[in-house]
Amino acid sequence: MGPITKPLASQLHQPSSTSKALVLACMLGLGLSACQPNTIEQTDTTVKNDNYNENVSVTQTDQTAITGKPVVYQVFTRLYGNTNTTNKAWGTIAENGVGKFSDFTDVALQDIKSLGTTHVWYTGVPHHALVNDYTNYGIGNDDPDVVKGRAGSPYAVKDYYNVNPDLANNPANRLAEFEALIGRTHANDMQVIIDIVPNHVARNYHSISAPKGELDFGANDDKTNTYSRHNNFYYVVGEDFQVPQASNGYQALGGETHPLSDGMFAESPAKWTGNGSRLAKPDANDWYETVKINYGVKPDGSHDFPALPNDYANKTAAEHLAFWQAQAADDIPDSWRKFEHIAQYWLAKGVDGFRYDMAEMVPVEFWSYLNSHIKHTNPNAFILAEVYNPDLYRDYIHLGKMDYLYDKVDLYDTLKAIIHGKASTAAIATAHAKVSDIDQHMLHFLENHDEQRINTVDFASNPFNALPAMVVSTTLSRSPTLLYFGQDVGESGAENAGFGQPTRTSIFDYVGVPAHQRWMNNGKFDGGQSTSDEKTLRAYYQTLLNLSHSATALQGEYVELDTLQRQLNTQGYDDEVFAFSRFNNEQQLIIVSNFSQQHSKMFTLTLPHTLINQWHISQNTAVKNLLSTTQLARPLVLQSDSSATIDVQLAPLQSVVMALQR
């Protein structure tokens, strides 16, 4: 989600020259593979919208035309095109600058596409609470006492039927400017994802752009009751809201004088806070800038809506839709209908999918309801959810009809622990085995807006130290890969922007993103100001991520080779090395990564006879490293027991993706 409760200072360290030299040595010979074309046909489809009871014209892309695994490029829209380098803490737009929809030119979008991107997740698009004066456009001012940062959290949405006015050249035409960006993105053969934040809305939610007949959240609530099925909010009856007591010297806007910054916010009765706090005066660490949405979950946790039968885990989205359409209208909580209307509104504008914030805080039946409606409108819609409880994964995929969930708790956390030297690479096989039955649904990443940047002492100390983890993350399963903007050039997120913490690029304030700005080069997107290390890093990312499309084996089967090497006590194979294979009928890959930052690795890798029998290989089969233009001279050698071996030599932090040559 991203609400960071208090700003922290963090001293960052630069990588040593010795470490960099080792890394760059192993990168020599790197070749930039040609970007694979992802031609996506656009079609105009007229779709029946049952809730609106009218026909809406939907422009959507044909996802089936995308070849290979999806690559999602997450961009923080407000920051992407900003060229201002001032980076003053709590700086205004005038001082620190802000990016615009118009910064996503065809040149910019082709640059994004060159990273293998199939879907652009434009983060922070829906109009959220922020501290800026747009009263000339009919937009009410937001109170800094219930806004985190100056630019505001993108997860405190105040109007779901319009977009952030900061992002428009002309705020009066902000929606049209975003619609134009949707069109440009489609014209550049990529699809569009935006956020929906179902668990909470801004404390001062008020839509001035809702279609006729769409009421605000809470407009018809019975505020005399803590809970009612069709209330959109929960209430602390008889008590007024109070702004939290600040901690650690925090002051709204860094202490700047503002007419609304008085430590007060009028709300009577008080509403429950977004993270579930039932206090009229929430804690400073609570999500106090938001209020929790009521989905028909009573205060005691019991459900006030129809139960979805367990056997619906095996049913299609169409069958889920039919189930909900058969329910009595009064049994469907009002909040469900509101969010379904919001999703349909954006689908009708050409949005191709959604990323759901903190999805596990909302009952799975609602997701069945919402996603089955979405899939009815666009069967190829891309649906990604933030869920951190592994015990809920299968329910949210099978019953909730999610396409993809974050693989954070298992794979991401495991890879980070290995980089920190706190875990053996054997833990990768264990983590992946936990989700082997749903691996194609578990989206992989090393960075996003919530997580620390790789290029910080808290994560990897320099961006090259994480490349073996990125290779594993990208190639381990059939799932999509997510890349956060700036990751590909080693952005460090070291700026003290105001509310947010250094090590994470701020999502709360106006700030520049230095490494990305150097690559952007005032809109040329040619790396004209980038360092040689940044250019080398980006070329590696381009090569790796484009394998998602060109390497068909990555959509095939997986066999881990790590356990066998440990059982055989393979000399030279240790807790800093991980090996596995990916294959289908057309292509067979052997992928090996050396996580050590200092030591080369030499060993003879054994492939089991069960795998070799499937591959039908001949003696001394040649292999090619798809991550480099340098041909490997070492062949795959068949053994008398029908297994096979190949000699592997890896420099520090080197990975190889070896393809068998027929």
Side-chain angles (χ1 to χ4, degrees):
M1 174 198 169
I4 300 170
T5 57
K6 50 182 179 269
L8 295 175
S10 177
Q11 181 65 42
L12 303 179
H13 302 286
Q14 297 300 315
S16 68
S17 57
T18 303
S19 175
K20 275 195 173 183
L22 287 169
V23 171
L24 292 174
C26 78
M27 303 286 274
L28 292 176
L30 172 69
L32 177 60
S33 62
C35 300
Q36 302 298 315
N38 295 318
T39 303
I40 304 174
E41 298 178 1
Q42 294 190 18
T43 58
D44 290 329
T45 308
T46 300
V47 180
K48 182 89 161 54
N49 181 328
D50 294 325
N51 283 290
Y52 290 130
N53 195 29
E54 62 185 9
N55 289 329
V56 292
S57 179
V58 179
T59 301
Q60 60 190 47
T61 52
D62 180 7
Q63 193 178 41
T64 60
I66 295 174
T67 59
K69 301 201 309 172
V71 174
V72 179
Y73 184 88
Q74 182 194 4
V75 55
F76 204 85
T77 316
R78 177 203 304 151
L79 305 181
Y80 180 83
N82 184 19
T83 58
N84 189 309
T85 60
T86 303
N87 290 341
K88 174 186 174 183
W90 297 99
T92 64
I93 284 182
E95 292 168 325
N96 284 357
V98 69
K100 304 289 185 180
F101 292 132
S102 59
D103 294 321
F104 293 89
T105 62
D106 288 331
V107 172
L109 290 167
Q110 280 298 304
D111 183 61
I112 291 172
K113 187 169 183 286
S114 76
L115 289 160
T117 302
T118 58
H119 297 74
V120 185
W121 168 14
Y122 291 105
T123 306
V125 166
H127 187 183
H128 59 265
L130 54 89
V131 183
N132 208 348
D133 188 350
Y134 289 109
T135 53
N136 288 340
Y137 304 95
I139 300 171
N141 284 328
D142 296 311
D143 190 330
D145 292 308
V146 288
V147 175
K148 289 182 176 176
R150 184 184 293 275
S153 168
Y155 298 103
V157 176
K158 69 174 286 185
D159 186 350
Y160 262 115
Y161 289 101
N162 216 316
V163 298
N164 182 356
D166 280 349
L167 305 177
N169 294 321
N170 180 357
N173 295 329
R174 58 194 183 279
L175 189 57
E177 290 188 30
F178 180 58
E179 290 172 329
L181 176 55
I182 294 172
R184 286 198 303 279
T185 306
H186 288 168
N188 283 280
D189 297 333
M190 294 178 291
Q191 298 189 11
V192 173
I193 300 169
I194 65 170
D195 288 282
I196 287 182
V197 188
N199 179 66
H200 48 270
V201 294
R203 195 133 227 141
N204 57 335
Y205 187 94
H206 175 55
S207 176
I208 61 172
S209 307
K212 185 177 180 180
E214 289 293 335
L215 300 179
D216 269 357
F217 286 95
N220 284 341
D221 280 8
D222 176 2
K223 300 179 182 180
T224 65
N225 288 317
T226 298
Y227 166 85
S228 178
R229 178 194 293 162
H230 295 302
N231 276 4
N232 300 134
F233 303 127
Y234 300 91
Y235 294 92
V236 187
V237 178
E239 296 186 54
D240 294 342
F241 172 77
Q242 297 180 60
V243 173
Q245 182 67 43
S247 61
N248 299 317
Y250 172 77
Q251 293 179 292
L253 302 182
E256 175 188 313
T257 300
H258 186 280
L260 295 177
S261 186
D262 55 4
M264 300 175 65
F265 179 77
E267 180 182 284
S268 183
K271 303 180 181 78
W272 288 13
T273 293
N275 62 326
S277 172
R278 305 182 183 190
L279 300 175
K281 184 175 183 177
D283 186 82
N285 292 317
D286 289 328
W287 304 346
Y288 61 83
E289 79 280 25
T290 67
V291 290
K292 187 169 180 63
I293 296 291
N294 165 28
Y295 283 92
V297 179
K298 296 178 181 179
D300 64 4
S302 61
H303 291 175
D304 198 9
F305 48 77
L308 189 66
N310 287 334
D311 65 347
Y312 271 72
N314 301 315
K315 294 186 182 294
T316 66
E319 290 172 309
H320 279 244
L321 179 64
F323 173 85
W324 294 113
Q325 289 178 330
Q327 306 306 309
D330 191 61
D331 288 343
I332 305 300
D334 184 72
S335 296
W336 293 28
R337 298 188 186 280
K338 277 186 165 57
F339 272 103
E340 197 273 320
H341 293 177
I342 288 165
Q344 295 295 334
Y345 175 84
W346 290 109
L347 289 171
K349 291 191 177 299
V351 168
D352 304 291
F354 304 101
R355 180 267 188 186
Y356 299 137
D357 183 80
M358 296 306 293
E360 67 195 81
M361 298 181 77
V362 176
V364 72
E365 287 86 351
F366 164 73
W367 293 119
S368 164
Y369 175 87
L370 179 65
N371 291 335
S372 63
H373 279 81
I374 289 172
K375 292 294 189 178
H376 176 69
T377 300
N378 180 0
N380 296 318
F382 187 101
I383 297 176
L384 167 64
E386 181 184 28
V387 175
Y388 295 125
N389 183 350
D391 291 338
L392 298 177
Y393 287 169
R394 287 155 188 84
D395 280 351
Y396 278 75
I397 292 168
H398 300 310
L399 289 172
K401 311 312 292 182
M402 300 293 188
D403 292 329
Y404 307 108
L405 308 180
Y406 280 21
D407 199 344
K408 196 274 182 191
V409 172
D410 290 318
L411 185 63
Y412 169 90
D413 286 348
T414 295
L415 293 173
K416 193 171 184 179
I418 293 168
I419 291 171
H420 287 170
K422 296 179 179 178
S424 164
T425 48
I428 298 172
T430 302
H432 188 55
K434 293 179 182 178
V435 294
S436 60
D437 60 315
I438 53 171
D439 76 311
Q440 71 270 30
H441 297 286
M442 302 304 296
L443 175 134
H444 292 174
F445 62 90
L446 289 188
E447 282 190 359
N448 62 43
H449 66 280
D450 281 330
E451 307 301 339
Q452 293 170 313
R453 288 287 192 176
I454 290 169
N455 190 16
T456 64
V457 70
D458 301 84
F459 195 153
S461 295
N462 78 60
F464 295 100
N465 288 346
L467 289 182
M470 190 63 196
V471 171
V472 171
S473 180
T474 302
T475 60
L476 187 65
S477 78
R478 295 169 286 170
S479 67
T481 299
L482 183 145
L483 181 73
Y484 191 38
F485 88 112
Q487 177 182 342
D488 52 300
V489 287
E491 179 56 46
S492 65
E495 292 70 39
N496 179 13
F499 186 87
Q501 300 175 356
T503 76
R504 295 171 174 86
T505 297
S506 176
I507 67 170
F508 302 106
D509 286 287
Y510 303 110
V511 69
V513 186
H516 170 70
Q517 288 174 324
R518 290 191 289 272
W519 177 264
M520 186 167 55
N521 192 23
N522 294 311
K524 296 179 182 178
F525 294 92
D526 60 1
Q529 300 176 39
S530 298
T531 67
S532 59
D533 283 2
E534 290 167 352
K535 292 177 182 178
T536 298
L537 184 69
R538 195 170 198 278
Y540 193 97
Y541 271 95
Q542 284 183 306
T543 300
L544 174 62
L545 291 172
N546 276 286
L547 281 178
S548 294
H549 311 302
S550 60
T552 62
L554 296 181
Q555 292 181 294
E557 302 300 316
Y558 160 85
V559 172
E560 62 100 343
L561 303 173
D562 183 77
T563 301
L564 177 61
Q565 313 314 310
R566 297 177 191 278
Q567 291 173 342
L568 295 172
N569 293 316
T570 300
Q571 185 176 359
Y573 189 100
D574 58 22
D575 286 342
E576 296 180 312
V577 178
F578 188 71
F580 59 99
S581 67
R582 298 293 312 281
F583 62 95
N584 61 10
N585 291 334
E586 295 95 38
Q587 186 181 52
Q588 297 79 42
L589 302 179
I590 303 164
I591 302 166
V592 192
S593 290
N594 176 15
F595 283 75
S596 175
Q597 299 174 22
Q598 289 85 29
H599 303 296
S600 296
K601 306 290 179 178
M602 296 179 61
F603 50 87
T604 299
L605 186 77
T606 300
L607 281 70
H609 68 86
T610 52
L611 189 61
I612 297 306
N613 289 341
Q614 293 183 72
W615 289 1
H616 305 293
I617 65 172
S618 58
Q619 185 66 276
N620 296 324
T621 297
V623 296
K624 177 183 180 181
N625 182 11
L626 300 183
L627 283 180
S628 173
T629 56
T630 304
Q631 181 72 34
L632 292 176
R634 298 178 296 282
L636 193 67
V637 179
L638 288 175
Q639 303 298 313
S640 59
D641 63 355
S642 297
S643 67
T645 61
I646 184 169
D647 293 333
V648 178
Q649 183 173 350
L650 297 173
L653 300 174
Q654 186 180 19
S655 297
V656 289
V657 178
M658 297 180 283
L660 273 59
Q661 300 294 286
R662 299 295 189 179

